[in-house]
Structure formats: C-alpha cells, structure tokens
Amino acid sequence: GAVVSQHPSRVICKSGTSVKIECRSLDFQATTMFWYRQFPKQSLMLMATSNEGSKATYEQGVEKDKFLINHASLTLSTLTVTSAHPEDSSFYICSASRGQGISYEQYFGPGTRLTVT
Amino acid sequence: QKEVEQDPGPLSVPEGAIVSLNCTYSNSAFQYFMWYRQYSRKGPELLMYTYSSGNKEDGRFTAQVDKSSKYISLFIRDSQPSDSATYLCAMSGNTNAGKSTFGDGTTLTVKP
C-alpha cells in the first residue's frame, strides 16, 4: 500500500509555456500533499504544503503565482509551473500523507524531470 | 548554517562492508528522525524512523539517535550492491504539520 504516482515522469517545454504535473495517491486518501524540488546532488527543498479543499501554504521565497497548486480531491494534487523559464528546470517530487501531520507518514512519488528550453 | 548537515560523500565500500551514515542538526525541537533511500531519478522511500533518542533495528539497518549530541546515524550491515543509492536523513518536530527538514544526502556505492 501507500503508492504515489506522478505524471508525467519527464517533460520538456519551451520557455514561456506552462506545465502541469499531477500527483496521485493510488491506494489511500491523502489529507496533505507536499511539493518539493530537487537540484542535482542537493536535497529536497519544500515548495508548498497543500491540504484538500484549501489553499496551499507556500514556503518563503516560493512564488505562489508561478507555482500554482491545486488539491481538488483526497487523491489528486497538481502543480502548474506557469511561464516556465530555464531556471525552473529541476526534479519535482510530490509526497502524500494520510496521517494528521505525522512527518514519517509521507509517501513520495517517483518525481518529474522538467527541462525548460 | 543549515539546520541539518550531512556529508555528501561520495562513499564507496566493498560488498559486505559495514556502512555508517551520519547527520548532525542544530534544532533541539526535532523529535522524529527519518532515513530515506533515493535511487537515481526516483523519489525517496522511507527506510526507518525513530522517535526521540535510542536505537532501532530493521534487518541489516540500524538507526541511532543521540539527542544530547544532536547526532544521528544509520548503519548498514553486510552491504550489497543493491544498497547503492543516495541516503537522506530528515527530521521534524512534533507540531509542524508533517513538514520535515532534509539533509543533502550521502551517495553510497557498494562495489561487488
């Protein structure tokens, strides 16, 4: 159990376009979903926390108008990178939690490699 | 200074060796301590977690937490080539709604 999927696994887009990444919990209901980005040989940087049916909470320094997060159901959250630029190229990973704020009950998706040309 | 420090390595050991991975931290409010394994171009998977100080063993893996020294360790016994991955430590407090602070990860290679 506790499987999280992401789609697409890899995407290449042109500068100025928008890209949507989906995160799904396949076999459980996710109260909370987290979105991270990871640069090569670096750790996970938390971008935002989303709870089903409410607005996402963004970490300091993350532009909420650029990284739009929607958590419309207990099994689906989406991250839309708007007006993407080459510096947005990164590995984006989501995680889903079915616990009530319990940190170790986070299950990670396989990640999405975004390349902006 | 980062809240969580982890030696990035890389660490290379022969098959069968005992591997020691470590993290130090500065936030005394951390109560949950996790170790994740991340294969290349994949998402992290939870290996073990401990609450507060102490040891926890699961098969070939042992996690140790020393809160007095703000130091945690993961030991891998009888290491296998399939253990080759990046290992991330992560920590959180009791009341931060599930948010964790991650180390930068240590890249481990186990050579046959």
Side-chain angles (χ1 to χ4, degrees):
Chain A
V3 178
V4 177
S5 70
Q6 274 184 249
H7 178 79
S9 58
R10 184 187 297 261
V11 58
I12 301 172
C13 70
K14 292 187 176 180
S15 186
T17 62
S18 295
V19 174
K20 180 185 284 189
I21 302 170
E22 291 186 350
C23 176
R24 292 181 185 273
S25 57
L26 299 184
D27 53 2
F28 66 99
Q29 292 187 324
T31 310
T32 305
M33 287 185 170
F34 302 90
W35 285 96
Y36 299 84
R37 66 187 297 182
Q38 186 177 34
F39 293 104
K41 299 188 185 301
Q42 292 188 28
S43 189
L44 300 167
M45 185 193 81
L46 180 64
M47 300 174 66
T49 303
S50 73
N51 294 295
E52 185 263 341
S54 61
K55 290 185 177 180
T57 302
Y58 290 81
E59 295 299 301
Q60 190 173 8
V62 178
E63 300 176 60
K64 61 181 181 181
D65 294 330
K66 181 169 184 60
F67 298 99
L68 301 178
I69 291 172
N70 183 280
H71 193 161
S73 76
L74 285 171
T75 59
L76 173 64
S77 177
T78 59
L79 167 68
T80 301
V81 183
T82 63
S83 186
H85 289 98
E87 57 266 29
D88 298 324
S89 298
S90 188
F91 193 51
Y92 291 87
I93 306 175
C94 72
S95 71
S97 174
R98 56 186 171 188
Q100 297 298 319
I102 301 174
S103 56
Y104 60 83
E105 287 193 338
Q106 261 190 76
Y107 303 96
F108 286 85
T112 296
R113 174 79 54 190
L114 170 64
T115 303
V116 184
T117 60
Chain B
Q1 185 183 2
K2 295 179 181 179
E3 273 192 305
V4 178
E5 297 278 0
Q6 184 175 8
D7 186 343
L11 185 61
S12 181
V13 301
E15 183 175 356
I18 296 175
V19 176
S20 173
L21 304 168
N22 312 293
C23 289
T24 59
Y25 63 96
S26 57
N27 189 342
S28 58
F30 288 145
Q31 294 285 354
Y32 290 96
F33 303 90
M34 286 74 70
W35 286 97
Y36 292 87
R37 177 174 61 196
Q38 185 177 22
Y39 292 113
S40 181
R41 301 183 182 184
K42 299 292 184 184
E45 58 175 323
L46 179 67
L47 280 176
M48 300 178 69
Y49 76 90
T50 53
Y51 177 74
S52 194
S53 284
N55 296 354
K56 190 172 186 178
E57 187 174 319
D58 184 1
R60 295 185 295 111
F61 299 89
T62 299
Q64 288 185 351
V65 174
D66 182 349
K67 290 191 70 180
S68 63
S69 302
K70 296 189 176 66
Y71 187 89
I72 71 169
S73 301
L74 177 71
F75 297 96
I76 307 174
R77 291 184 299 280
D78 187 25
S79 55
Q80 303 294 311
S82 58
D83 295 328
S84 298
T86 296
Y87 290 80
L88 299 158
C89 64
M91 310 175 188
S92 69
N94 275 330
T95 57
N96 59 347
K99 289 166 53 174
S100 298
T101 303
F102 287 82
D104 285 347
T106 300
T107 300
L108 171 67
T109 301
V110 181
K111 296 185 176 180

